[in-house]
Amino acid sequence: MPVSSPPPAPRPTPTDAFPTSTSQTQAETESILLQHIPSNADAKQGLAKQSHMQFLVRSLVQGFPSRYTSQDASQPWLLFWTIQAFSALQVGLDPGNKQRIVDKIMAAQHPDGGFGGGPGQAAHLLPTYASICTLAIVGRPGPGGGWDQINRKKMYDFFMSLKQPDGSFLVAHHAEVDVRGIYCLLVTATLLDLLTPELVSGTASFVASCQTYEGGFSSASQPYYAATPSPSPSPPPSSTSDSTTSAKHARRLLEKPRPPLGEAHGGYTFCALAAWVLLLPFRETEGEQDAQPKIDVGNLLRWLVMMQGTEIELGGFKGRTNKLVDGCYSWWCGGAFALLEALGVGGAGSSAPPAGPSSGEEEEWDDMDGKMVFYRVRFAPDTQAARLIDTLFNRKALQEYILYAGQHPAGGLRDKPPKNADAYHTLYCLSGLSAAQHRISVATSRREQLRKAWVAGASQDTKISESTLPEEVRMKVFQEALAWTEEEGGSLIVGGTENRVSLIMFFAFTRRMQNATHPVFNLTITHSEGLMSYFYGQNLPPRAK
């Protein structure tokens, strides 16, 4: 069989005859990336699972290298990045290592609620998320298992003590507001059955206010208050709030202006969009649709698609406009498209432009066979067109970036060559690879299964707040979080099935285990189901094969 000749070299990014230090760095990056394209067009690039597993094992067993000293306040994150990467590679841990991790995580629980970055450190929303997700993977009910040792009441009080009058949250006491912290709080509260009306009051409006003119989201927005006090402050200050927060609650928050602070960013955008999806069960019960906060979904989609690199960038994602591609955005940007589908953009059954303010550019949308196709899905060969009709980004190109440029020869995954591998990029490259390989969506059939199996009133015994969710909303939170299902026939695996991550497994032909990555939590669906079913007091019905 004749060997295919290499394709012509991709076109470099134009400089408009005005080179800058930024364009020179871009050109250098493109030159390095080109060297990682296989010279033989028929060559298959494998996912070096064994090497990546050994890279992760070295860190877990021998300890992280000295360069991780700066991450002392991120110890739960180091564990989460490592063991969730194991999950993506279908690697299980032995009971001894699981218990070591549980003990390490529980040592970081703060006596006043939440988790810190290590033993004795202040509680913070970000390591709280990492701690709970880690316990979802290695923990269990019962003595020493971690789940029953989580102080949910104090954690809820900690969350409320961070609540701000504009619906946002500080990431820690005496710290800043950051939409990433809101994502971490909402995921934790969803997993542990801690959501209440007072906790999420005003939060959707804050998230919407962080959207920038580009379409992506920034870290926060600037609130403004009326000069005259509000006759009925809402939401009320919590009993643990300080006097400054209480004073702010006495002022009336202005609906406008609420300008976003900073530029659109891939990490902020994923967190804002995931938070928006988690808040949907509350927004659907908040009265008139016209009075609810809105985001410009069409502009958001355009921005996300534009973050995918061109052919010379191997289809990787960048995190901001005019920046370099980076493997971690395979998840922060590439993983966001499934969340858009949860809002009705793209995917099966979508036949109308996305809801939201019109951008005045209707010609950018095309209806093809009942699927929304964005013209900006770029450089896809005609032979791939049929596979890309029902997707919003170039899944094949993203996988090629991770396989060609993201893998370090010594194991682990990285930002881009010639950088070293690290735990952070190893996880988010693998999570992005999973998002590109598998189509995960909220399945109506699974939602109905969960609704029929719901047992009203079942929960953990601890009362966390006087503010409680209506049972219908609580059920909806549960079913929307766990109705995510991998679409049959929706996989696209570059390099052969041996490169597949996050397998679906069958046990004794009776149980179907979903090990695909949950688009909101970045856990496997199976681990998400295990933790939520325990804290909501529900028995999950088996998934249909």
Side-chain angles (χ1 to χ4, degrees):
M1 180 181 294
V3 177
S4 301
S5 58
R11 186 179 66 177
T13 300
T15 63
D16 297 329
F18 190 76
T20 63
S21 59
T22 300
S23 67
Q24 290 166 1
T25 304
Q26 175 72 24
E28 292 168 2
T29 300
E30 291 173 1
S31 176
I32 294 171
L33 291 175
L34 280 177
Q35 298 171 23
H36 289 76
I37 299 177
S39 57
N40 181 356
D42 295 326
K44 289 185 176 181
Q45 177 67 51
L47 179 65
K49 294 182 180 180
Q50 189 68 22
S51 295
H52 303 327
M53 183 186 71
Q54 291 173 353
F55 170 82
L56 296 166
V57 167
R58 285 195 298 271
S59 297
L60 186 65
V61 175
Q62 300 175 10
F64 287 87
S66 60
R67 69 176 183 273
Y68 285 90
T69 302
S70 62
Q71 302 300 308
D72 179 66
S74 300
Q75 294 174 47
W77 281 107
L78 295 175
L79 288 171
F80 171 64
W81 295 331
T82 301
I83 64 170
Q84 175 57 18
F86 278 137
S87 296
L89 292 170
Q90 303 108 48
V91 175
L93 293 175
D94 63 277
N97 274 312
K98 283 185 176 182
Q99 190 60 54
R100 287 175 56 218
I101 295 169
V102 169
D103 294 342
K104 179 72 172 179
I105 289 294
M106 294 312 300
Q109 184 168 216
H110 194 277
D112 294 330
F115 288 76
Q121 297 186 26
H124 192 290
L125 291 179
L126 274 65
T128 295
Y129 161 90
S131 297
I132 297 305
C133 288
T134 300
L135 291 174
I137 302 169
V138 300
R140 65 189 186 280
W147 290 8
D148 291 331
Q149 288 75 56
I150 299 169
N151 194 322
R152 295 168 62 249
K153 175 65 170 67
K154 287 190 174 181
M155 182 179 289
Y156 181 84
D157 291 342
F158 169 61
F159 288 169
M160 286 303 300
S161 73
L162 303 175
K163 185 74 182 284
Q164 300 300 295
D166 63 347
S168 66
F169 293 84
L170 302 177
V171 294
H173 292 142
H174 314 295
E176 73 281 2
V177 167
D178 191 315
V179 75
R180 293 173 297 185
I182 292 176
Y183 163 76
C184 291
L185 180 149
L186 290 175
V187 168
T188 301
T190 300
L191 291 172
L192 300 183
D193 192 18
L194 296 178
L195 290 171
T196 67
E198 68 173 353
L199 184 67
V200 302
S201 175
T203 303
S205 294
F206 171 79
V207 171
S209 72
C210 296
Q211 188 170 24
T212 75
Y213 72 95
E214 288 187 276
F217 287 77
S218 65
S219 63
S221 64
Q222 175 63 52
Y224 286 89
Y225 299 90
T228 56
S230 173
S232 55
S234 178
S238 82
S239 59
T240 54
S241 298
D242 59 29
S243 58
T244 301
T245 302
S246 299
K248 286 183 179 178
H249 276 292
R251 294 182 291 162
R252 179 168 54 88
L253 178 70
L254 297 178
E255 184 176 341
K256 293 181 180 180
R258 296 178 73 175
L261 299 174
E263 62 184 316
H265 183 281
Y268 300 139
T269 297
F270 176 91
C271 290
L273 183 55
W276 188 263
V277 170
L278 289 172
L279 290 168
L280 286 177
F282 296 88
R283 297 182 62 249
E284 292 171 359
T285 62
E286 290 179 350
E288 296 296 328
Q289 292 289 325
D290 292 342
Q292 293 185 10
K294 295 180 175 62
I295 62 174
D296 189 335
V297 180
N299 207 23
L300 170 58
L301 174 58
R302 180 215 274 149
W303 182 83
L304 278 170
V305 172
M306 291 294 289
M307 288 302 101
Q308 186 164 24
T310 58
E311 185 177 7
I312 200 169
E313 296 168 299
L314 307 189
F317 276 92
K318 60 196 75 176
R320 289 178 287 168
T321 301
N322 204 33
K323 294 293 183 179
L324 302 175
V325 291
D326 182 335
C328 72
Y329 295 111
S330 302
W331 173 252
W332 298 124
C333 292
F337 290 96
L339 303 177
L340 280 175
E341 291 193 15
L343 301 181
V345 182
S350 177
S351 59
S358 172
S359 63
E361 295 180 328
E362 296 177 359
E363 69 277 4
E364 292 188 347
W365 297 95
D366 183 33
D367 187 349
M368 183 185 298
D369 296 331
K371 305 289 196 299
M372 290 310 303
V373 181
F374 196 61
Y375 283 148
R376 202 69 177 101
V377 175
R378 295 169 289 180
F379 62 88
D382 291 341
T383 56
Q384 293 293 324
R387 303 297 298 275
L388 293 170
I389 283 177
D390 62 347
T391 191
L392 298 171
F393 71 104
N394 194 321
R395 296 164 63 191
K396 176 178 180 291
L398 178 57
Q399 292 179 61
E400 289 174 344
Y401 177 87
I402 296 169
L403 294 173
Y404 297 162
Q407 300 189 89
H408 193 280
L413 291 103
R414 58 189 173 184
D415 168 350
K416 54 183 161 290
K419 296 189 177 183
N420 290 323
D422 58 69
Y424 169 86
H425 284 92
T426 296
L427 172 60
Y428 292 115
C429 283
L430 290 174
S431 297
L433 187 61
S434 178
Q437 289 181 349
H438 307 287
R439 288 294 305 277
I440 313 294
S441 61
V442 176
T444 302
S445 58
R446 183 58 176 169
R447 183 191 285 136
E448 183 63 15
Q449 276 185 310
L450 294 169
R451 187 191 67 79
K452 290 180 177 179
W454 178 262
V455 177
S459 66
Q460 295 295 308
D461 294 334
T462 305
K463 185 175 182 180
I464 60 170
S465 171
E466 294 299 327
S467 176
T468 57
L469 280 185
E471 190 68 18
E472 184 68 23
V473 177
R474 183 168 169 265
M475 179 185 70
K476 194 166 184 63
V477 168
F478 182 83
Q479 68 184 32
E480 291 301 313
L482 297 185
W484 292 91
T485 304
E486 180 169 0
E487 296 181 12
E488 295 290 346
S491 295
L492 175 65
I493 314 296
V494 172
T497 56
E498 61 272 18
N499 286 346
R500 181 191 295 269
V501 295
S502 304
L503 290 170
I504 296 179
M505 296 182 285
F506 294 88
F507 293 92
F509 301 99
T510 59
R511 184 183 174 199
R512 186 185 199 213
M513 178 177 283
Q514 283 269 352
N515 263 7
T517 301
H518 193 292
V520 179
F521 304 146
N522 198 12
L523 293 165
T524 66
I525 291 178
T526 300
H527 288 141
S528 305
E529 290 177 336
L531 192 67
M532 287 190 68
S533 61
Y534 179 72
F535 281 101
Y536 285 73
Q538 303 295 320
N539 291 316
L540 291 177
R543 289 180 178 270
K545 292 197 290 184

